[in-house]
Amino acid sequence: MKVLIVGGGGREHAIAYCVAKSSKVEKMYCAPGNAGIAELAECVPIGAMEFDKLVTFAKEKEIDLAIVGMDDPLVGGLIDEFEKAGIRAFGPRKNAAILEGSKAFSKDLMKKYDIPTAAYENFDNADEALAYLETAKFPIVLKADGLALGKGVLICNTLEEAKAGVKEIMLDKKFGASGNTMVVEEFMTGREVSVLSFVDGKTIKTMTSAQDHKRAKDGDQGLNTGGMGTFSPSPFYTKEVDEFCRKYVYQKTVDAMAAEGREFKGIIFFGLMLTEDGPKVLEYNARFGDPEAQVVLPRMKNDLIDVIEACIDGTLDQVDLQFEDDAAVCVVLASDGYPVAYEKGLPITGLDEFKKHEGYYCFHAGTKFDGDQIVTNGGRVLGVTAKGATLKEARANAYKATEWVKFDNKYMRHDIGKAIDEA
Ligand code: AMP
Ligand code: GLY
């Protein structure tokens, strides 16, 4: 079959890696892709939001399956456009992708169906939000309703900070229309765990757990980023936590979406916080996590295409989803200055080393070709993933492999997976 992957980051490289392994796939395209994906797929210079061009391309090349990896096109309705044109596509339709696209929607859904999450209020008026904050308990969390590259969440320690936050989100529109509505949420503490799952509208099968590191600097300091590294599985995701979430979170979410007439087919990513009062949902995403995919997918035993087709066909109940018993760690190599300002176009060397070692992967996030030379082309440049029999071994392997790659202004966190030592 001919497959088109939409996206061009590390997550899409990890997806492409799995798709390339499938015996069913004869040809793979990626729009727009990157220099790493180009080794596996034919990259076409069409942006993920250029829906008309993507549909025309898919029809022209007689694509049998389109896989959409990114949040923006999913929330914007790319799956619906593919389907209208008769192209089989993997991901939630627009009416279901709202699970990620609107935090106010997802909070209301959780409240209505009694799915554990932080207490909250939604506001579409800045004065009302300010009045509410006058009597609120601090710290408190402000969230722009819509997509904001993972940056629309502000944790405010004082009323003054919260007032400035309301101004930023709702009045100055720092996150654009995403800030027309704002969620004000109770601050929770605890460990965070990401659980990704395949969903076919009625059945849900969860993948192995993972944990991200969202802040730019060691010790969880600095600004929030798209994610600076991950490990999988999470030792904090115990059997008890899993049982609780199976009972109160996973299937309930899928059933709630179906009951709302928003049948969800695709990936649901549960961002969980393990609080003293039990696990609570921090957020939903409607796609693989980035860089969670880079530690979860290399450990998956199934043929990804089989699982995706089962999701589309509604036969996921017949799939025995399996993961390896080992562990994986991904360290993101960024360009110094990310997530604010950074240079692009810096030559990268040492990438061939990964071909010589089994269990090591270099997923490209922001790279491109400059002639024959691969150069940096984004803030997050590469995701270096390594497996190991244990998390500690995987971490040591991943950090060893980060030494193989060189480019100017290379920056990484040095404490990815440090929490493992406390487990
Ligand atoms: P979100 O995009 O909703 O996952 O939020 C981004 C990050 O902000 C999360 O990964 C948490 O670290 C933090 N966060 C979000 N909501 C809360 C909350 N209610 N309490 C504490 N931290 C939060
Ligand atoms: N790594 C977090 C995300 O993909 O949203």
Side-chain angles (χ1 to χ4, degrees), residues 168-240:
E168 226 174 83
I169 292 175
M170 299 193 85
L171 301 174
D172 299 345
K173 297 271 192 266
K174 189 170 168 196
F175 310 104
S178 287
N180 290 349
T181 300
M182 188 181 76
V183 178
V184 178
E185 191 177 271
E186 165 205 8
F187 177 77
M188 305 188 287
T189 51
R191 277 196 191 282
E192 286 183 43
V193 181
S194 304
V195 176
L196 315 187
S197 64
F198 291 100
V199 182
D200 75 353
K202 16 178 227 303
T203 300
I204 177 165
K205 296 258 161 123
T206 53
M207 301 178 223
T208 178
S209 61
Q211 187 182 321
D212 191 8
H213 299 67
K214 288 199 169 117
R215 300 292 201 96
K217 301 210 164 106
D218 284 5
D220 290 330
Q221 301 296 308
L223 296 171
N224 256 321
T225 71
M228 293 300 292
T230 37
F231 59 85
S232 170
S234 165
F236 308 103
Y237 189 76
T238 58
K239 204 162 157 275
E240 291 71 38

Coordinates of all heavy atoms in Angstrom, one line a residue, residues 168-240:
E168 N -2.4 38.7 29.5 CA -1.6 38.1 28.4 C -2.5 37.2 27.5 O -2.5 37.3 26.3 CB -0.6 37.2 29.1 CG 0.8 37.3 28.5 CD 1.8 36.4 29.4 OE1 1.8 35.2 29.1 OE2 2.4 37.0 30.3
I169 N -3.3 36.4 28.2 CA -4.1 35.4 27.4 C -5.3 36.0 26.8 O -5.6 35.9 25.6 CB -4.5 34.2 28.4 CG1 -3.3 33.4 28.8 CG2 -5.6 33.3 27.7 CD1 -3.6 32.3 29.8
M170 N -6.1 36.7 27.6 CA -7.4 37.2 27.1 C -7.5 38.6 26.4 O -8.3 38.8 25.5 CB -8.5 37.2 28.2 CG -8.7 35.8 28.8 SD -10.1 35.7 29.9 CE -11.4 35.3 28.7
L171 N -6.6 39.5 26.9 CA -6.6 40.8 26.4 C -5.6 41.1 25.3 O -5.8 41.5 24.2 CB -6.5 41.8 27.5 CG -7.6 41.7 28.6 CD1 -7.3 42.7 29.8 CD2 -9.0 42.0 28.0
D172 N -4.3 40.7 25.6 CA -3.2 40.9 24.7 C -3.2 39.8 23.6 O -2.5 39.9 22.6 CB -1.8 41.0 25.3 CG -1.8 42.1 26.4 OD1 -2.6 43.0 26.3 OD2 -0.8 42.1 27.2
K173 N -4.0 38.7 23.9 CA -4.1 37.6 22.9 C -2.7 37.1 22.5 O -2.4 36.9 21.3 CB -4.9 38.1 21.7 CG -6.3 38.5 22.0 CD -7.2 37.3 21.9 CE -8.7 37.6 21.9 NZ -9.3 37.6 23.2
K174 N -1.9 36.9 23.5 CA -0.5 36.3 23.2 C -0.6 35.0 22.4 O 0.3 34.7 21.7 CB 0.2 36.1 24.5 CG 1.7 35.8 24.4 CD 2.4 35.8 25.7 CE 3.8 35.2 25.5 NZ 4.4 34.9 26.8
F175 N -1.7 34.2 22.7 CA -1.8 32.9 22.0 C -2.9 33.0 20.9 O -3.6 32.0 20.6 CB -2.1 31.8 23.0 CG -1.1 31.8 24.1 CD1 -1.4 32.3 25.4 CD2 0.2 31.4 23.9 CE1 -0.5 32.3 26.4 CE2 1.1 31.4 24.9 CZ 0.8 31.9 26.2
G176 N -3.2 34.2 20.5 CA -4.2 34.5 19.4 C -5.6 34.1 19.9 O -5.9 34.2 21.1
A177 N -6.4 33.6 19.0 CA -7.8 33.3 19.3 C -7.9 32.2 20.3 O -9.0 32.0 20.9 CB -8.5 32.9 18.0
S178 N -6.8 31.4 20.5 CA -6.8 30.4 21.6 C -7.2 30.9 22.9 O -7.6 30.2 23.8 CB -5.4 29.7 21.7 OG -5.2 28.9 20.6
G179 N -7.0 32.3 23.1 CA -7.2 32.9 24.4 C -8.6 33.6 24.5 O -8.9 34.3 25.4
N180 N -9.5 33.3 23.5 CA -10.8 33.9 23.6 C -11.6 33.4 24.8 O -12.4 34.0 25.4 CB -11.6 33.6 22.3 CG -11.1 34.4 21.1 OD1 -10.3 35.3 21.3 ND2 -11.5 34.1 20.0
T181 N -11.3 32.1 25.1 CA -11.8 31.4 26.3 C -10.6 31.0 27.1 O -9.6 30.7 26.6 CB -12.7 30.2 25.9 OG1 -13.8 30.7 25.1 CG2 -13.3 29.5 27.1
M182 N -10.8 31.0 28.4 CA -9.7 30.6 29.3 C -10.2 29.7 30.4 O -11.3 30.0 30.9 CB -9.1 31.9 29.9 CG -7.8 31.7 30.7 SD -7.2 33.2 31.4 CE -8.4 33.4 32.8
V183 N -9.5 28.7 30.7 CA -9.8 27.8 31.8 C -9.0 28.3 33.0 O -7.8 28.5 32.9 CB -9.5 26.3 31.5 CG1 -9.8 25.4 32.6 CG2 -10.2 25.9 30.2
V184 N -9.6 28.4 34.2 CA -8.9 28.7 35.4 C -9.0 27.4 36.3 O -10.1 26.9 36.5 CB -9.5 29.9 36.2 CG1 -8.8 30.0 37.5 CG2 -9.4 31.1 35.4
E185 N -7.9 26.8 36.6 CA -7.9 25.5 37.2 C -7.1 25.4 38.5 O -6.1 26.1 38.7 CB -7.3 24.6 36.1 CG -7.4 23.1 36.4 CD -6.8 22.3 35.3 OE1 -7.5 22.0 34.3 OE2 -5.6 21.9 35.3
E186 N -7.6 24.5 39.3 CA -7.0 24.2 40.6 C -5.5 23.7 40.4 O -5.3 22.9 39.4 CB -7.8 23.2 41.3 CG -7.2 22.4 42.5 CD -7.9 21.1 42.7 OE1 -8.7 20.6 41.8 OE2 -7.5 20.4 43.7
F187 N -4.6 24.2 41.1 CA -3.2 23.7 41.0 C -3.0 22.4 41.7 O -3.5 22.2 42.8 CB -2.3 24.7 41.6 CG -0.8 24.3 41.6 CD1 -0.1 24.4 40.5 CD2 -0.2 23.8 42.8 CE1 1.3 24.1 40.5 CE2 1.1 23.5 42.8 CZ 1.9 23.6 41.6
M188 N -2.5 21.4 41.0 CA -2.3 20.1 41.6 C -0.8 19.8 41.7 O 0.0 20.3 40.9 CB -2.9 19.0 40.7 CG -4.4 19.2 40.4 SD -5.1 17.8 39.5 CE -4.4 18.0 37.9
T189 N -0.4 18.9 42.6 CA 1.0 18.5 42.6 C 1.0 17.0 42.5 O 0.1 16.3 42.9 CB 1.7 18.9 43.9 OG1 0.9 18.5 45.0 CG2 1.9 20.4 44.0
G190 N 2.1 16.5 42.0 CA 2.3 15.0 41.8 C 3.2 14.8 40.6 O 3.6 15.7 39.9
R191 N 3.4 13.5 40.4 CA 4.2 13.1 39.2 C 3.3 13.1 38.0 O 2.2 12.7 38.1 CB 4.8 11.7 39.4 CG 6.0 11.7 40.2 CD 6.7 10.4 40.1 NE 7.8 10.5 41.1 CZ 8.9 11.2 41.0 NH1 9.1 11.8 39.9 NH2 9.8 11.2 42.0
E192 N 3.9 13.4 36.8 CA 3.2 13.4 35.6 C 3.5 12.1 34.8 O 4.7 11.7 34.8 CB 3.5 14.6 34.8 CG 2.8 15.9 35.3 CD 3.1 17.1 34.5 OE1 3.0 17.0 33.2 OE2 3.4 18.1 35.1
V193 N 2.5 11.5 34.2 CA 2.7 10.4 33.3 C 1.9 10.6 32.1 O 0.8 11.1 32.1 CB 2.3 9.1 34.0 CG1 2.5 7.9 33.1 CG2 3.0 8.9 35.4
S194 N 2.5 10.2 31.0 CA 1.8 10.2 29.7 C 1.4 8.8 29.3 O 2.2 7.9 29.3 CB 2.6 10.7 28.6 OG 3.2 12.0 28.9
V195 N 0.1 8.6 29.0 CA -0.3 7.3 28.5 C -1.0 7.5 27.1 O -2.0 8.3 27.0 CB -1.3 6.6 29.4 CG1 -1.8 5.3 28.8 CG2 -0.6 6.3 30.8
L196 N -0.4 6.9 26.1 CA -1.0 7.0 24.8 C -1.8 5.8 24.5 O -1.6 4.7 25.1 CB 0.1 7.1 23.7 CG 1.3 8.0 23.9 CD1 2.2 8.1 22.7 CD2 0.9 9.4 24.3
S197 N -2.8 5.9 23.6 CA -3.7 4.8 23.4 C -4.2 4.8 22.0 O -4.3 5.9 21.3 CB -4.9 4.9 24.3 OG -5.7 6.1 24.0
F198 N -4.5 3.7 21.4 CA -5.2 3.5 20.2 C -6.7 3.4 20.4 O -7.1 2.7 21.4 CB -4.8 2.3 19.4 CG -3.4 2.4 18.9 CD1 -2.3 1.7 19.6 CD2 -3.0 3.0 17.7 CE1 -1.0 1.8 19.2 CE2 -1.7 3.1 17.3 CZ -0.7 2.5 18.0
V199 N -7.5 4.1 19.6 CA -9.0 4.1 19.9 C -9.7 3.9 18.5 O -9.3 4.5 17.5 CB -9.4 5.4 20.5 CG1 -10.9 5.4 20.7 CG2 -8.7 5.7 21.7
D200 N -10.7 3.0 18.5 CA -11.4 2.8 17.2 C -12.9 3.3 17.3 O -13.7 2.8 16.5 CB -11.4 1.3 16.9 CG -12.3 0.4 17.7 OD1 -12.9 0.9 18.7 OD2 -12.5 -0.8 17.4
G201 N -13.2 4.1 18.2 CA -14.5 4.7 18.3 C -15.2 4.0 19.6 O -16.0 4.7 20.3
K202 N -14.9 2.8 19.8 CA -15.5 2.1 21.0 C -14.5 1.4 21.9 O -14.6 1.5 23.1 CB -16.6 1.1 20.6 CG -16.7 0.7 19.2 CD -17.7 -0.3 18.9 CE -17.2 -1.5 18.1 NZ -16.6 -1.1 16.8
T203 N -13.5 0.8 21.2 CA -12.5 0.0 22.0 C -11.3 0.9 22.2 O -10.9 1.7 21.3 CB -12.1 -1.3 21.3 OG1 -13.2 -2.1 21.1 CG2 -11.0 -2.0 22.0
I204 N -10.6 0.8 23.3 CA -9.4 1.6 23.6 C -8.3 0.6 24.0 O -8.6 -0.3 24.9 CB -9.6 2.7 24.6 CG1 -8.2 3.4 24.9 CG2 -10.2 2.2 25.9 CD1 -8.4 4.7 25.6
K205 N -7.1 0.7 23.4 CA -6.0 -0.1 23.9 C -4.8 0.8 24.2 O -4.4 1.6 23.3 CB -5.5 -1.1 22.7 CG -6.6 -2.1 22.4 CD -6.3 -3.5 22.9 CE -7.5 -4.3 22.9 NZ -7.4 -5.6 22.2
T206 N -4.4 0.8 25.5 CA -3.4 1.7 25.9 C -2.0 1.1 25.5 O -1.8 -0.1 25.5 CB -3.4 2.0 27.4 OG1 -3.4 0.7 28.1 CG2 -4.6 2.8 27.8
M207 N -1.1 2.1 25.3 CA 0.3 1.7 25.0 C 1.1 1.7 26.3 O 0.5 2.1 27.4 CB 0.9 2.7 24.0 CG 0.2 2.7 22.7 SD 0.9 3.9 21.5 CE -0.6 4.6 20.9
T208 N 2.3 1.4 26.2 CA 3.2 1.5 27.4 C 3.3 3.0 27.9 O 3.2 3.9 27.0 CB 4.6 0.9 27.1 OG1 5.4 1.0 28.2 CG2 5.2 1.6 25.9
S209 N 3.5 3.2 29.1 CA 3.6 4.6 29.7 C 4.9 5.3 29.3 O 5.9 4.7 29.0 CB 3.4 4.5 31.2 OG 4.4 3.8 31.8
A210 N 4.9 6.6 29.5 CA 6.1 7.4 29.3 C 6.0 8.6 30.1 O 5.0 9.0 30.7 CB 6.1 7.8 27.8
Q211 N 7.2 9.3 30.2 CA 7.2 10.6 30.9 C 8.0 11.6 30.1 O 9.1 11.3 29.7 CB 7.7 10.5 32.4 CG 7.6 11.8 33.1 CD 8.1 11.7 34.5 OE1 8.0 10.7 35.2 NE2 8.8 12.8 34.9
D212 N 7.5 12.8 30.0 CA 8.1 13.9 29.3 C 8.8 14.8 30.3 O 8.6 14.8 31.5 CB 7.0 14.6 28.5 CG 7.6 15.6 27.5 OD1 8.8 15.6 27.3 OD2 6.8 16.4 27.0
H213 N 9.7 15.6 29.8 CA 10.4 16.7 30.5 C 10.1 18.0 29.8 O 10.8 18.2 28.8 CB 11.9 16.4 30.7 CG 12.2 15.2 31.4 ND1 11.9 13.9 30.8 CD2 12.8 14.9 32.6 CE1 12.3 13.0 31.7 NE2 12.9 13.5 32.7
K214 N 9.2 18.8 30.2 CA 8.7 19.9 29.4 C 9.6 21.2 29.5 O 9.6 22.0 28.6 CB 7.3 20.3 29.8 CG 6.3 19.2 29.3 CD 4.9 19.7 29.2 CE 4.0 18.7 28.4 NZ 3.0 18.1 29.2
R215 N 10.2 21.3 30.7 CA 11.0 22.6 30.9 C 12.3 22.5 30.1 O 12.9 21.4 29.9 CB 11.3 22.8 32.3 CG 10.0 23.0 33.2 CD 9.2 24.2 32.8 NE 8.4 24.6 34.0 CZ 8.7 25.4 34.9 NH1 9.8 26.1 34.9 NH2 7.8 25.6 35.9
A216 N 12.8 23.7 29.8 CA 14.0 23.8 28.9 C 15.3 23.4 29.7 O 16.3 22.9 29.1 CB 14.2 25.2 28.4
K217 N 15.4 23.6 31.0 CA 16.6 23.5 31.7 C 16.6 22.4 32.7 O 15.6 22.0 33.2 CB 17.0 24.8 32.4 CG 17.1 25.9 31.4 CD 18.1 27.0 31.8 CE 18.5 27.9 30.7 NZ 17.9 29.2 30.8
D218 N 17.8 21.9 33.1 CA 18.0 20.9 34.1 C 17.2 21.3 35.4 O 17.1 22.4 35.7 CB 19.4 20.7 34.4 CG 20.2 19.9 33.4 OD1 19.6 19.6 32.3 OD2 21.4 19.6 33.6
G219 N 16.7 20.3 36.1 CA 16.0 20.5 37.4 C 14.7 21.1 37.1 O 14.1 21.8 38.0
D220 N 14.1 20.9 35.9 CA 12.8 21.5 35.6 C 12.7 23.0 35.8 O 11.8 23.6 36.3 CB 11.7 20.8 36.4 CG 11.4 19.4 35.9 OD1 11.7 19.1 34.7 OD2 11.1 18.5 36.7
Q221 N 13.8 23.6 35.4 CA 13.9 25.1 35.4 C 13.7 25.6 33.9 O 13.8 24.8 33.0 CB 15.2 25.6 35.9 CG 15.6 25.1 37.3 CD 14.6 25.7 38.4 OE1 14.4 26.9 38.4 NE2 14.0 24.8 39.1
G222 N 13.5 26.9 33.8 CA 13.4 27.5 32.5 C 12.0 27.4 31.9 O 11.1 27.0 32.6
L223 N 11.9 27.8 30.7 CA 10.6 27.9 30.0 C 10.1 26.6 29.6 O 10.8 25.6 29.5 CB 10.7 28.8 28.8 CG 11.1 30.2 29.0 CD1 11.4 30.9 27.7 CD2 10.0 31.0 29.8
N224 N 8.7 26.5 29.4 CA 8.1 25.3 28.9 C 8.5 25.2 27.4 O 8.5 26.1 26.7 CB 6.6 25.4 29.0 CG 6.1 24.6 30.1 OD1 6.5 23.5 30.4 ND2 5.1 25.1 30.8
T225 N 8.7 23.9 27.0 CA 9.1 23.6 25.6 C 8.1 22.6 25.1 O 7.2 22.1 25.8 CB 10.5 23.0 25.5 OG1 10.4 21.7 26.1 CG2 11.5 23.9 26.3
G226 N 8.3 22.1 23.9 CA 7.5 21.0 23.3 C 7.9 19.7 24.0 O 7.1 18.7 23.9
G227 N 9.0 19.7 24.7 CA 9.4 18.4 25.4 C 10.9 18.3 25.1 O 11.4 18.3 23.9
M228 N 11.7 18.1 26.1 CA 13.2 18.0 26.0 C 13.7 16.6 26.2 O 14.9 16.3 26.1 CB 13.8 18.9 27.1 CG 13.6 20.4 26.9 SD 14.2 21.0 25.3 CE 16.0 20.8 25.5
G229 N 12.8 15.6 26.4 CA 13.3 14.2 26.5 C 12.2 13.4 27.2 O 11.3 13.9 27.9
T230 N 12.3 12.1 27.0 CA 11.2 11.2 27.6 C 11.9 9.9 28.0 O 13.0 9.6 27.5 CB 10.2 10.9 26.5 OG1 10.9 10.7 25.2 CG2 9.1 11.9 26.4
F231 N 11.2 9.2 28.9 CA 11.5 7.8 29.1 C 10.3 6.9 29.2 O 9.2 7.4 29.4 CB 12.4 7.6 30.4 CG 11.7 8.1 31.7 CD1 10.9 7.3 32.4 CD2 12.0 9.4 32.2 CE1 10.3 7.8 33.6 CE2 11.4 9.9 33.3 CZ 10.6 9.0 34.0
S232 N 10.5 5.7 28.9 CA 9.4 4.7 28.9 C 9.9 3.3 29.2 O 10.9 2.9 28.7 CB 8.8 4.7 27.5 OG 7.8 3.6 27.4
P233 N 9.2 2.6 30.1 CA 8.0 2.9 30.8 C 8.2 3.8 32.0 O 9.4 4.0 32.4 CB 7.4 1.5 31.2 CG 8.7 0.7 31.5 CD 9.7 1.2 30.4
S234 N 7.2 4.4 32.6 CA 7.3 5.1 33.8 C 7.2 4.2 35.0 O 6.2 3.5 35.1 CB 6.3 6.2 33.9 OG 6.2 6.7 35.2
P235 N 8.2 4.1 35.8 CA 8.1 3.2 37.0 C 7.0 3.7 38.0 O 6.6 2.9 38.9 CB 9.5 3.3 37.7 CG 10.1 4.6 37.1 CD 9.5 4.8 35.8
F236 N 6.5 4.9 37.8 CA 5.5 5.5 38.7 C 4.1 5.1 38.2 O 3.1 5.2 39.0 CB 5.6 7.0 38.8 CG 7.0 7.4 39.2 CD1 7.9 7.9 38.2 CD2 7.5 7.2 40.5 CE1 9.2 8.2 38.5 CE2 8.8 7.5 40.8 CZ 9.7 8.0 39.8
Y237 N 4.0 4.6 37.0 CA 2.7 4.1 36.5 C 2.6 2.7 36.9 O 2.9 1.7 36.2 CB 2.7 4.2 35.0 CG 1.3 4.0 34.4 CD1 0.3 4.9 34.5 CD2 1.0 2.8 33.8 CE1 -0.9 4.7 34.0 CE2 -0.3 2.5 33.3 CZ -1.2 3.5 33.4 OH -2.5 3.3 32.9
T238 N 2.1 2.5 38.2 CA 2.0 1.2 38.8 C 0.8 0.4 38.3 O -0.1 1.0 37.7 CB 2.0 1.3 40.3 OG1 0.8 2.1 40.6 CG2 3.2 2.0 40.9
K239 N 0.7 -0.8 38.7 CA -0.5 -1.6 38.4 C -1.8 -1.0 39.0 O -2.8 -1.0 38.3 CB -0.3 -3.0 39.0 CG -1.1 -4.1 38.4 CD -0.5 -5.5 38.7 CE -1.6 -6.5 38.5 NZ -2.5 -6.7 39.7
E240 N -1.6 -0.4 40.2 CA -2.8 0.2 40.8 C -3.3 1.4 40.0 O -4.5 1.7 39.8 CB -2.5 0.7 42.3 CG -2.2 -0.4 43.3 CD -1.0 -1.2 43.1 OE1 0.1 -0.6 42.7 OE2 -1.0 -2.5 43.2

